[in-house]
Amino acid sequence: RRHQEATKEKGKAVLTRTIGKKIIVQTGSEEIEVAVLGVNGNQVRLGVQAPSHVAIDREEIAQRKASELTRR
């Protein structure tokens, strides 16, 4: 069995990565790749590579989109 590098914290996988390292999320036959591009103070710069049909948004944008859909 593969070594588990993730720890569980309230239902979330908590992973530690350094700049240039990646996390791979597999959903069926598809992969979403998240790379740590940089850290500046308390900001982390991430690069996300995903299939074109997968929406990638910051939390506040995703919430706004969901709110707009429920108003229709």
Side-chain angles (χ1 to χ4, degrees), residues 10 20 32 47 62 67:
K10 296 185 182 180
I32 299 170
S67 175

Side-chain angles (χ1 to χ4, degrees), residues 2-64:
R2 199 170 70 121
H3 171 68
Q4 293 283 337
E5 67 176 76
T7 59
K8 292 289 184 177
E9 183 178 294
K10 296 185 182 180
K12 297 178 184 178
V14 179
L15 301 152
T16 302
R17 300 278 67 201
T18 56
I19 295 173
K21 298 296 182 179
K22 299 175 183 175
I23 295 169
I24 306 296
V25 179
Q26 295 181 332
T27 59
S29 62
E30 298 180 320
E31 284 188 355
I32 299 170
E33 181 180 287
V34 181
V36 178
L37 302 178
V39 178
N40 185 12
N42 66 349
Q43 290 187 327
V44 179
R45 194 163 167 241
L46 301 173
V48 181
Q49 185 173 1
S52 59
H53 67 275
V54 175
I56 302 169
D57 291 314
R58 296 186 323 244
E59 180 181 28
E60 61 274 18
I61 302 297
Q63 289 173 345
R64 185 172 62 211

